[in-house]
Amino acid sequence: MRPFSKHDRRRWSFDSVSAERNAIGSASTSPGTEYSNGGYGEEFVEVTIDLQDDDTIVLRSVEPATAINVDISDETASTAGGGMMTPVSISRSPTMKRTSSNRLRQFSQELKAEAVAKAKQLSQELKRFSWSRSFSGTLTTTNHQNGGGGLVNSALEARALRKQRAQLDRTRSSAQRALRGLRFISNKRTNFDGWNDVQSNFEKLSKNGYIYRSDFAQCIGMKDSNEFALELFDALSRRRRQRVEKINHDELYEYWSQINDESFDSRLQIFFDIVDKNEDGRITEEEVQEIIMLSASANKLSRLKDQAEEYAALIMEELDPERLGYIELWQLETLLLQKDTYLNYSQALSYTSQALSQNLHGLRQNSRIHRMSSDCVYFIQENWKRIWVLFLWVMIMLGLFLWKFFQYKQKDAFHVMGYCLLTAKGAAETLKFNMALILFPVCRNTITWLRSTRLSYFVPFDDNINFHKTIAGAIVVGVILHVGDHIACDFPRIVRATEYDYNRYLFHYFQTKQPTYWDLVKGPEGITGILMVILMTISFILATRWFRRNLVKLPRPFDRLTGFNAFWYSHHLFIIVYVLLILHGLFLYFAKPWYVHTTWMYLAVPVLLYGGERTLRYFRSGSYSVRLLKVAIYPGNVLTLQMSKPSQFRYKSGQYMFVQCPAVSPFEWHPFSITSAPEDNYISIHIRELGDWTQELKKKFSEVCQPPVAGKSGLLRADESTKTSLPKLLIDGPYGAPAQDYMKYDVLLLVGLGIGATPFISILKDLLNNIVKMEEHADSISDFSRSSEHSTGSNSETPRRKKILKTTNAYFYWVTREQGSFDWFKGVMNEVAELDQRGVIEMHNYLTSVYEEGDARSALITMVQALNHAKNGVDIVSGTRVRTHFARPNWKKVLSKLSSKHTNARIGVFYCGVPVLGKELSKLCNTFNQKGSTKFEFHKEHF
């Protein structure tokens, strides 16, 4: 316990009792004790006082508060003669009732007087404690002068003093927080149902009524951390003074009960016993190193195992300042209780008490009809752009269908083929329209240009690929109607028509005798139609997610039909399809003059536009001559390419470009997000090996790379000085993406999963550059103002006021499964942490391979992480200045804190990753938008 300094403030709470109550300093009460004298019951007040060095006392406040109990430790109880003050243990009562204002006024004066008396008594005790400690220090010096025995005694006395201080600092609230940090079984991760599942596993795994040590992990639901479970088994066995290889059902229940004991002391003792293998009640540095390696193995942190010796020394340095060579149970407890203090360097989102009363009107129970109407109104508000575009598209298709439907109802052929003909012709008209329209969403240069116009306020250009897919679905429906009606209905009716009906209604269309079914199929109309259906079916199937993402596993050689390459090449069959479509439209049965054939009219403009874009891309890629400046291959099969920046290549953060490597394929172009900032003098991209093309690209660069020299990151590296020539690259772009509009939002929430962080790295760097510029500009204005005061007569020009950055805060959440992933952007994260002095950018790394914070398997890692960052400012997991959290973020809590902290703000939520989390984030944005004044706008990257 440290002595109070000047103006040191302590908070004390006293049970409110009657006027006859005993002196508070001489007795203690349990948390549940109730006093009924005076009718106050479980009512407490908090008195805040300042203790001065001259024994004067300043009373600051008296207010309702939670009870704090003073428990006297038996080991250090004061003697009857008034020895050293007894260390106290302060714990909050589990129940609290606020004192009404009238009662507070009645006894506040009495409490003030008693507080003064208590404070004086405390002051005298502190003097004695301070004298005793100074005397102990004198004794320590004497012992030191007397030899080695004195050193040992001095160290032991110092440790005993620290132990007393630790007992004083331990409170019930801190113990409860620490208890949450020592769970041996994580139900969230294992989906384990407690003892019922343990019994079920015992029945499956037991042999002759015993479960063996090797099966213990699987039995209790720790199969994925077998080594840790075995150490747990051995520790529990040692507590029974046994070394066994098998246990029965009753013993298993006993083990399970100890593992799930709700007592903090019990769980702490188990954790201590896992480390203390020789059962001497002491943990040496070697044992600490061993448990660090065990925890690293359980959490798949291979790098941590290599540095276990260093981190073990760090723990010993913190917990064993006396250098006795061992630590005890209470020291491990102290580290757990103080963990939150060490972790203050990276709080998840400091926010005010607004969170307690946030959006109260959103919590009201509304009727079902009211909720449905609110949901409908909000859906329209969020999707009105999509709604009006889809509505217009559907209306155009409906109009074209009805136009042809009623037009052919007037023709003679209707009397033979009926409504089958009308449906087929109506579907054909929508097909011609959609085959033309489907090219517009993939005209990337046009879309990128339109995004910068006012049209972007009315048209959702971010959904261009989704609209492309929607049109493809409509084409499938049109093909089924058109082809199905012709083959199953129209052709049979022509063949079965009577001679009278044929000559009267159909002869002037065919100008020949009545055709057979085969005659209709083998004609130019039938052949072109069948070929189009075959090619479009191939293209459509290989474009589906199952084939494009390699989710379908086919045997050789059919495995080449899956993957991005198959999708890319099959999509170029559309060139043949459009040629066949024009030919098909020229050989119609029921429209002979060429000017009546409208297919070419639909296709002329879109085909010319798309063809012009492809031609532009071809020539532009040739003009963008780039040379590779740096190549690095990182863990996780990630290839980083840094290349020179062409003078005419201008882009915005969040945009992407296409890359071609002729050494891999002279035809294929693949899109990748740009990770460099617009003001950088180079262009960089990060490519993860996900398909055959990226696999071959990584292989080509691996052949010319070498292991890095000391101080350089990556597994393999190469640069301009590499003797072997690097493969040539061609680039095309840039192209627009949702993230490029980040500057129009007050606050940014950037969420990247794995390699999905790439579009946001450029945004972070761009934000950082803007922050630095704004600070430099502010300094220049300040300097100018000072200089102008001294030279008022000069005609110096005032520096131009630059445009103020609208974005005030950015929160970056990066969730990844592999520790090595943090190497990809280590330099950027360190640069942001160093230069962002105003705290505009807040970064959070999450590693899902590590057990969540609170699991005993990651408890020691969390301690080491906190200690190392507090001492060296570096996170042990990521190797950066950004703290790494474990498991997955609680997205509801993240958005709740943002909503509370940034009221009335417009928050742009940008996400790049798997669709599952995208749906969850979108749903949460909708929920919070309906509750409060903060508006979240969700955007998802398509890749």
Side-chain angles (χ1 to χ4, degrees):
M1 176 177 180
R2 64 181 179 85
F4 290 157
S5 61
K6 188 173 184 179
H7 300 295
D8 201 357
R9 180 174 297 178
R10 288 290 182 271
R11 292 182 179 268
W12 301 93
S13 293
F14 308 101
D15 297 55
S16 56
V17 297
S18 64
E20 294 101 282
R21 62 189 162 197
N22 298 328
I24 295 178
S26 62
S28 64
T29 58
S30 65
T33 301
E34 297 181 7
Y35 292 90
S36 58
N37 298 340
Y40 296 122
E42 295 181 351
E43 296 177 341
F44 310 97
V45 294
E46 180 178 83
V47 180
T48 305
I49 58 176
D50 278 357
L51 303 181
Q52 311 294 327
D53 288 343
D54 57 357
D55 289 341
T56 59
I57 298 171
V58 179
L59 181 63
R60 293 297 183 186
S61 65
V62 179
E63 58 187 14
T66 303
I68 299 181
N69 303 298
V70 183
D71 298 332
I72 302 180
S73 173
D74 293 336
E75 296 179 2
T76 57
S78 61
T79 63
M84 182 173 23
M85 176 187 172
T86 303
V88 292
S89 177
I90 302 171
S91 59
R92 290 189 180 273
S93 173
T95 61
M96 180 189 74
K97 297 181 180 179
R98 294 185 59 87
T99 306
S100 59
S101 60
N102 59 338
R103 287 182 177 176
L104 180 60
R105 285 193 296 269
Q106 292 174 8
F107 59 84
S108 61
Q109 295 299 324
E110 178 188 353
L111 287 175
K112 288 181 181 180
E114 188 165 349
V116 171
K118 173 63 181 177
K120 287 181 178 179
Q121 179 187 354
L122 176 62
S123 177
Q124 295 298 323
E125 296 290 353
L126 285 174
K127 284 185 176 181
R128 292 175 187 170
F129 177 76
S130 178
W131 175 86
S132 175
R133 189 175 60 174
S134 63
F135 174 79
S136 175
T138 306
L139 181 62
T140 298
T141 305
T142 304
N143 288 338
H144 177 69
Q145 294 171 351
N146 291 336
L151 286 175
V152 174
N153 291 335
S154 173
L156 291 174
E157 289 176 6
R159 177 165 291 192
L161 183 61
R162 287 203 305 119
K163 183 176 182 180
Q164 291 176 354
R165 193 183 307 168
Q167 290 173 344
L168 177 66
D169 290 340
R170 176 175 174 177
T171 64
R172 174 169 299 182
S173 59
S174 63
Q176 287 295 330
R177 288 195 302 271
L179 178 61
R180 292 194 295 269
L182 275 179
R183 292 191 305 271
F184 289 96
I185 303 296
S186 178
N187 294 329
K188 290 182 180 179
R189 183 154 179 169
T190 60
N191 295 320
F192 210 67
D193 189 24
W195 176 243
N196 293 331
D197 283 349
V198 173
Q199 289 189 102
S200 176
N201 290 338
F202 180 84
E203 294 173 1
K204 296 176 184 176
L205 300 171
S206 62
K207 299 174 183 177
N208 299 323
Y210 289 90
I211 185 76
Y212 282 82
R213 177 177 178 270
S214 58
D215 296 324
F216 182 70
Q218 184 176 354
C219 185
I220 66 171
M222 296 177 68
K223 185 178 179 180
D224 52 350
S225 50
N226 185 64
E227 293 180 10
F228 192 91
L230 294 179
E231 294 294 341
L232 178 60
F233 180 91
D234 293 339
L236 295 172
S237 299
R238 288 195 297 269
R239 300 180 80 180
R240 297 166 53 92
R241 297 295 186 268
Q242 296 177 352
R243 292 186 181 277
V244 296
E245 288 295 323
K246 59 182 180 180
I247 55 176
N248 58 33
H249 184 274
D250 293 338
E251 291 170 327
L252 177 64
Y253 180 75
E254 182 182 343
Y255 282 21
W256 178 258
S257 299
Q258 293 181 56
I259 292 172
N260 287 275
D261 195 327
E262 291 299 322
S263 166
F264 168 65
D265 294 320
S266 176
R267 292 191 186 183
L268 179 64
Q269 185 65 58
I270 293 176
F271 189 79
F272 186 87
D273 291 342
I274 291 176
V275 188
D276 182 24
K277 294 185 178 181
N278 58 5
E279 303 178 79
D280 62 352
R282 300 174 175 181
I283 299 177
T284 63
E285 185 171 336
E286 290 74 18
E287 289 174 322
V288 173
Q289 181 179 343
E290 188 174 340
I291 194 64
I292 289 177
M293 294 182 68
L294 182 65
S295 299
S297 176
N299 291 280
K300 302 179 179 62
L301 297 175
S302 57
R303 296 183 181 180
L304 200 63
K305 295 172 69 175
D306 300 334
Q307 298 172 291
E309 182 178 355
E310 174 188 344
Y311 297 139
L314 181 66
I315 288 182
M316 296 301 293
E317 179 184 346
E318 176 70 18
L319 299 184
D320 182 29
E322 303 85 10
R323 299 187 179 180
L324 292 175
Y326 64 88
I327 58 176
E328 299 171 275
L329 177 65
W330 67 268
Q331 292 163 295
L332 189 63
E333 174 187 341
T334 301
L335 186 59
L336 274 172
L337 296 178
Q338 294 180 353
K339 181 185 66 174
D340 291 340
T341 302
Y342 290 113
L343 293 182
N344 282 337
Y345 68 87
S346 182
Q347 290 299 326
L349 278 174
S350 57
Y351 63 106
T352 63
S353 58
Q354 293 173 354
L356 300 176
S357 59
Q358 172 215 341
N359 305 323
L360 291 180
H361 67 85
L363 302 178
R364 297 172 186 162
Q365 295 295 327
N366 296 321
S367 65
R368 185 176 179 182
I369 297 177
H370 186 272
R371 288 198 304 270
M372 291 178 63
S373 61
S374 298
D375 291 343
C376 182
V377 170
Y378 176 75
F379 177 82
I380 294 174
Q381 289 176 344
E382 289 295 303
N383 299 280
W384 67 270
K385 292 181 183 179
R386 300 182 183 95
I387 291 172
W388 87 262
V389 170
L390 289 175
F391 179 79
L392 178 63
W393 174 59
V394 171
M395 288 297 100
I396 292 174
M397 287 194 299
L398 182 62
L400 292 173
F401 183 91
L402 294 177
W403 172 48
K404 281 297 175 182
F405 186 92
F406 289 108
Q407 183 185 49
Y408 271 82
K409 193 174 183 180
Q410 309 300 322
K411 292 183 177 290
D412 293 338
F414 170 71
H415 297 283
V416 176
M417 290 177 277
Y419 288 96
C420 292
L421 174 65
L422 309 187
T423 305
K425 290 300 180 181
E429 203 66 19
T430 63
L431 273 173
K432 289 185 281 187
F433 170 69
N434 284 326
M435 287 295 290
L437 185 63
I438 200 171
L439 294 176
F440 278 110
V442 291
C443 292
R444 294 187 179 91
N445 288 289
T446 304
I447 295 295
T448 301
W449 171 70
L450 290 174
R451 288 177 63 89
S452 60
T453 66
R454 293 186 179 274
L455 197 60
S456 61
Y457 292 106
F458 309 100
V459 180
F461 291 113
D462 291 345
D463 292 326
N464 61 319
I465 299 301
N466 285 334
F467 191 43
H468 178 79
K469 295 176 181 178
T470 304
I471 297 171
I475 289 175
V476 172
V477 174
V479 167
I480 293 173
L481 287 176
H482 181 73
V483 177
D485 279 332
H486 274 331
I487 293 178
C489 184
D490 291 335
F491 288 0
R493 289 191 178 186
I494 293 174
V495 173
R496 294 197 304 265
T498 63
E499 184 179 355
Y500 173 79
D501 289 339
Y502 177 80
N503 291 330
R504 180 177 179 180
Y505 299 115
L506 300 177
F507 180 80
H508 56 281
Y509 294 122
F510 293 95
Q511 298 294 327
T512 60
K513 64 178 182 178
Q514 188 171 354
T516 63
Y517 195 94
W518 175 245
D519 292 333
L520 296 173
V521 171
K522 71 177 183 180
E525 303 89 342
I527 294 295
T528 54
I530 292 173
L531 289 176
M532 278 192 295
V533 170
I534 293 173
L535 296 178
M536 291 171 70
T537 301
I538 294 172
S539 180
F540 183 85
I541 291 175
L542 297 185
T544 57
R545 180 174 175 269
W546 300 281
F547 283 85
R548 192 179 73 255
R549 297 282 185 181
N550 274 319
L551 300 180
V552 177
K553 303 300 180 184
L554 299 177
R556 293 177 178 273
F558 300 104
D559 58 335
R560 290 184 171 273
L561 294 177
T562 61
F564 188 85
N565 280 356
F567 155 75
W568 194 86
Y569 284 113
S570 65
H571 246 54
H572 284 75
L573 293 174
F574 81 90
I575 299 174
I576 303 174
V577 170
Y578 277 101
V579 173
L580 292 173
L581 181 59
I582 294 174
L583 293 175
H584 184 78
L586 293 177
F587 295 95
L588 295 179
Y589 290 115
F590 306 110
K592 293 303 180 182
W594 68 270
Y595 52 86
V596 180
H597 304 165
T598 57
T599 304
W600 66 272
M601 300 179 187
Y602 280 101
L603 300 180
V605 174
V607 168
L608 288 175
L609 178 62
Y610 184 79
E613 284 227 357
R614 294 299 294 264
T615 304
L616 174 64
R617 287 175 56 182
Y618 175 79
F619 287 106
R620 186 172 59 185
S621 63
S623 64
Y624 284 162
S625 58
V626 297
R627 70 180 190 280
L628 286 170
L629 305 176
K630 185 179 71 174
V631 178
I633 297 176
Y634 290 106
N637 292 320
V638 169
L639 171 67
T640 300
L641 301 176
Q642 191 178 105
M643 61 201 78
S644 60
K645 180 181 177 181
S647 58
Q648 66 272 34
F649 191 90
R650 297 182 179 87
Y651 62 94
K652 298 178 181 178
S653 291
Q655 292 186 330
Y656 67 96
M657 68 180 185
F658 278 81
V659 176
Q660 183 197 74
C661 181
V664 177
S665 172
F667 305 108
E668 296 181 44
W669 291 85
H670 293 259
F672 298 101
S673 297
I674 303 173
T675 54
S676 53
E679 295 187 1
D680 291 339
N681 57 2
Y682 61 87
I683 305 172
S684 65
I685 56 175
H686 288 67
I687 303 171
R688 185 163 193 175
E689 182 184 322
L690 292 174
D692 39 16
W693 187 86
T694 53
Q695 181 180 3
E696 188 65 24
L697 182 71
K698 176 176 169 285
K699 181 181 177 182
K700 290 290 184 184
F701 280 100
S702 300
E703 294 173 354
V704 298
C705 289
Q706 299 174 350
V709 296
K712 297 291 186 179
S713 61
L715 302 176
L716 296 171
R717 295 179 71 90
D719 52 32
E720 291 182 296
S721 63
T722 304
K723 295 180 180 179
T724 309
S725 60
L726 298 173
K728 182 182 178 182
L729 283 183
L730 298 177
I731 65 171
D732 176 54
Y735 294 106
Q740 76 176 56
D741 298 324
Y742 75 92
M743 284 190 176
K744 67 181 183 181
Y745 295 100
D746 305 316
V747 180
L748 299 178
L749 175 58
L750 310 173
V751 181
L753 265 59
I755 198 65
T758 50
F760 309 131
I761 295 300
S762 178
I763 292 177
L764 292 179
K765 295 175 71 175
D766 194 32
L767 273 175
L768 185 62
N769 291 339
N770 285 324
I771 292 169
V772 173
K773 277 185 178 179
M774 288 174 61
E775 292 176 349
E776 291 176 349
H777 185 65
D779 292 341
S780 66
I781 293 178
S782 178
D783 294 340
F784 176 81
S785 300
R786 285 194 295 267
S787 62
S788 61
E789 291 176 2
H790 294 84
S791 55
T792 54
S794 61
N795 296 324
S796 56
E797 276 189 34
T798 306
R800 288 187 178 181
R801 186 174 297 275
K802 292 189 176 181
K803 185 179 179 182
I804 299 176
L805 183 66
K806 183 177 182 180
T807 303
T808 58
N809 291 92
Y811 301 91
F812 175 53
Y813 283 77
W814 185 17
V815 185
T816 183
R817 291 179 296 182
E818 302 170 359
Q819 183 186 7
S821 303
F822 296 120
D823 287 351
W824 306 346
F825 310 116
K826 181 184 293 186
V828 176
M829 288 188 286
N830 283 331
E831 187 180 2
V832 171
E834 180 180 353
L835 297 179
D836 183 23
Q837 300 297 327
R838 290 164 47 197
V840 174
I841 302 172
E842 191 172 290
M843 296 180 292
H844 300 267
N845 294 336
Y846 280 81
L847 187 62
T848 58
S849 66
V850 179
Y851 288 91
E852 61 186 342
E853 294 172 21
D855 195 294
R857 286 162 284 189
S858 62
L860 197 64
I861 294 175
T862 305
M863 298 179 207
V864 175
Q865 181 193 41
L867 284 173
N868 191 73
H869 199 285
K871 180 178 180 180
N872 303 317
V874 177
D875 183 76
I876 63 172
V877 178
S878 65
T880 69
R881 296 175 62 181
V882 181
R883 180 194 168 193
T884 301
H885 306 269
F886 302 144
R888 292 174 174 81
N890 185 332
W891 296 112
K892 185 175 182 181
K893 187 179 294 185
V894 170
L895 266 69
S896 175
K897 291 176 180 179
L898 283 176
S899 180
S900 302
K901 187 175 181 180
H902 303 284
T903 54
N904 301 314
R906 189 179 173 207
I907 301 179
V909 181
F910 296 92
Y911 170 72
C912 186
V914 295
V916 177
L917 180 55
K919 293 178 181 178
E920 179 185 347
L921 288 173
S922 177
K923 207 171 184 181
L924 285 172
C925 289
N926 295 346
T927 302
F928 280 95
N929 283 343
Q930 296 182 62
K931 287 183 177 181
S933 58
T934 306
K935 295 302 178 185
F936 295 90
E937 295 187 18
F938 179 75
H939 304 275
K940 181 184 180 301
E941 291 284 337
H942 300 282
F943 64 93

